[in-house]
């Protein structure tokens, strides 16, 4: 079902627009901005593209083990995780995803909370 969301909303051609919007919001966020302070901007865009494509069931999908490894040293707490989830949901809604499809994507994000959150658990 998640794969069809990626296709339904135009694949990578359209995802690039979502990425730009999400990128701006993440950097503007007082909570999320600091996580990306020392990160190469190309990496950030790459992250956002993979992030969105993976949670929409696109070809760039990651195992939980891979996600755990990538985020292990980032000290992500529940508040930051939820902020990421909120900002993504807001972006997807602005991008024209139906409310039920936004919920599906956010469900995919929330299902990975225990893999990403390493602080305060
Ligand atoms: C389900 C939720 C998430 C998914 C699916 C996800 C996905 C990813 C992926 C695939 C990468 C690796 C990109 C690459 O291969 O270059 C990555 C890196 C990264 N993620 Fe996430 N992410 C999630 C949540 C978060 C959250 C909540 C934060 C911070 C609040 C975050 C911050 C970062 C940072 C800073 C990197 C770069 C690490 C580095 O290159 O040193 N991610 N994420």
């Amino acid at each position: 079902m998640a794969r069809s969301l990626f296709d339904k909303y135009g694949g990578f051609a359209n995802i690039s627009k979502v990425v730009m919007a999400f990128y701006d919001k993440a950097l503007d966020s007082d909570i999320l901005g600091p996580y990306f302070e020392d990160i190469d901007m190309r990496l950030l865009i790459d992250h956002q593209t993979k992030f969105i494509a993976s949670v929409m069931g696109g070809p760039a999908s990651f195992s939980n083990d891979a996600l755990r490894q990538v985020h292990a040293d980032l000290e992500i707490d529940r508040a930051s995780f939820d902020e990421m989830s909120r900002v993504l949901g807001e972006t997807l809604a602005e991008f024209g995803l139906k409310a039920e499809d936004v919920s599906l994507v956010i469900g995919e994000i929330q299902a990975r909370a225990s893999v990403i959150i390493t602080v305060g658990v």
Side-chain angles (χ1 to χ4, degrees), residues 13-46:
N14 271 328
I15 295 292
S16 65
K17 294 179 197 158
V18 184
V19 169
M20 293 319 293
F22 184 46
Y23 164 87
D24 284 345
K25 285 176 189 285
L27 279 185
D28 274 356
S29 161
D30 289 344
I31 297 176
L32 300 178
Y35 282 96
F36 294 99
E37 231 158 45
D38 299 326
I39 303 284
D40 187 317
M41 288 302 113
R42 283 165 304 177
L43 266 185
L44 177 54
I45 292 185
D46 197 45

Side-chain angles (χ1 to χ4, degrees), residues 22 32 36 47 51 80-88:
F22 184 46
L32 300 178
F36 294 99
H47 169 228
F51 181 91
S80 308
F81 182 87
D82 286 348
E83 174 72 352
M84 190 74 133
S85 176
R86 188 191 67 73
V87 167
L88 180 60

Side-chain angles (χ1 to χ4, degrees), residues 51 55 64 67-68 71-72 75-85 105-121:
F51 181 91
V55 293
N64 281 347
L67 285 178
R68 186 177 285 113
H71 299 92
E75 302 186 349
I76 295 170
D77 59 12
R78 168 53 77 173
S80 308
F81 182 87
D82 286 348
E83 174 72 352
M84 190 74 133
S85 176
V105 172
I106 297 308
E108 291 289 322
I109 294 270
Q110 290 296 334
R112 290 165 178 77
S114 66
V115 169
I116 307 265
I117 298 170
T118 51
V119 170
V121 286

